[in-house]
Amino acid sequence: MEYILTIVVPVYNEEGNLKRVEKELLNYIKIASVTTSVLFVNDGSKDQSQDLIEVICSRNDAFHFITFKENKGLSAAIKAGFDTVQSELVGYIDSDLQTTPEDFNLLLEYIDTNDLVTGVRINRKDSFIKRMSSKLANGIRRAFTKDGMDDTGCPLKIIRTSYAKQIPMFRGLHRFLPAMVMLQNGKVIQIPVRHFPRIAGTAKFGLRNRLINPLMDCFAYLWMKKRYINYKIDKQD
């Protein structure tokens, strides 16, 4: 089957969530507005995540995986997924399922006229500190990038694969996806999506990598923006 959308699911020590991930994504594939497959990217998990991923993929034709030899971080997992997929569109969702695959259909409604559609989490079910640090980090990043996005950390996005494959690799990439698409003169839009509490597993980000590291990444982005090469071929023989 030829798939229009591939959903990339980064995984790091999420054995407690993976059976639910399988169920939710299988249910979504049945109602998806385009033909959809799933790509797990195991970011060097130390628990039983890989064993579960292999079982899930063995019993579902639309599920596939790649596995890192060692942990490289969320941005590396997302970029590896982007580089691997062959479908016209690539989606991204976290394996903690604090967003629901069902809302991919909301994003798909806008992809025909945009190159990246990102969710904005409404009624967030996170702690007060997490919500405030995220709001502050988004404000700082927005001031640097001028991308106009309110919630770039939202783990629910759809991107045209041709744009996703052109995004350069760097740590903190996942917070700058809209800005990196805009550097390619792509169109981006944000759409409200639902948010849910984490049921299993533990959060992988603390105060440092929500505030301090993103601030440092903003300076790296400004350096990249100034030196970014973007061109269009006018004629070709």
Side-chain angles (χ1 to χ4, degrees):
M1 179 184 293
E2 182 176 349
Y3 298 104
I4 302 298
L5 170 66
T6 302
I7 299 173
V8 173
V9 186
V11 176
Y12 181 61
N13 295 342
E14 292 286 359
E15 63 181 7
N17 278 314
L18 286 173
K19 290 183 179 179
R20 192 165 63 97
V21 169
E22 176 188 22
K23 178 182 177 181
E24 293 293 329
L25 286 172
L26 278 174
N27 288 339
Y28 173 68
I29 287 173
K30 295 175 183 177
I31 64 168
S33 53
V34 298
T35 53
T36 301
S37 66
V38 175
L39 176 66
F40 290 110
V41 182
N42 184 4
D43 183 22
S45 295
K46 304 299 184 183
D47 61 2
Q48 299 302 308
S49 291
Q50 181 60 29
D51 293 338
L52 286 169
I53 287 171
E54 292 185 22
V55 170
I56 290 170
C57 292
S58 69
R59 63 191 178 205
N60 298 291
D61 291 340
F63 286 62
H64 307 277
F65 72 87
I66 58 177
T67 302
F68 289 175
K69 288 186 176 181
E70 55 188 9
N71 177 247
K72 290 296 183 180
L74 177 59
S75 293
I78 293 173
K79 186 62 167 69
F82 289 174
D83 291 344
T84 301
V85 304
Q86 299 299 319
S87 53
E88 176 185 345
L89 303 173
V90 56
Y92 155 55
I93 190 170
D94 276 350
S95 49
D96 61 16
L97 288 185
Q98 288 195 257
T99 52
T100 174
E102 290 181 7
D103 285 348
F104 275 122
N105 278 352
L106 297 177
L107 306 189
L108 284 167
E109 293 179 14
Y110 297 87
I111 197 63
D112 285 347
T113 54
N114 293 279
D115 303 298
L116 178 148
V117 185
T118 181
V120 178
R121 293 167 286 187
I122 57 175
N123 299 321
R124 286 185 63 172
K125 303 301 188 294
D126 290 322
S127 67
F128 175 80
I129 292 177
K130 187 174 181 179
R131 284 184 281 115
M132 290 302 102
S133 61
S134 177
K135 184 175 181 178
L136 179 59
N138 272 299
I140 294 171
R141 177 205 42 73
R142 191 165 54 246
F144 275 81
T145 64
K146 311 297 183 185
D147 62 8
M149 299 290 105
D150 297 314
D151 185 17
T152 59
C154 178
L156 199 76
K157 294 177 173 65
I158 291 180
I159 311 174
R160 293 192 179 279
T161 303
S162 58
Y163 282 81
K165 289 182 179 294
Q166 295 295 323
I167 296 174
M169 179 63 198
F170 63 94
R171 291 186 182 274
L173 161 71
H174 58 284
R175 301 182 185 93
F176 292 84
L177 291 176
M180 297 308 297
V181 169
M182 291 174 70
L183 279 184
Q184 301 177 55
N185 297 322
K187 295 181 179 180
V188 304
I189 191 173
Q190 54 186 0
I191 303 299
V193 297
R194 291 170 286 175
H195 191 247
F196 304 88
R198 175 184 271 273
I199 294 178
T202 58
K204 308 304 186 293
F205 292 93
L207 192 60
R208 175 180 175 82
N209 47 27
R210 287 197 194 101
L211 287 177
I212 300 175
N213 290 347
L215 177 60
M216 297 170 63
D217 292 339
C218 284
F219 289 103
Y221 169 79
L222 290 181
W223 179 90
M224 184 179 299
K225 181 179 180 180
K226 186 175 181 180
R227 290 161 177 79
Y228 188 77
I229 297 173
N230 192 24
Y231 63 87
K232 289 184 179 181
I233 294 175
D234 185 33
K235 294 182 180 180
Q236 183 175 0
D237 183 359

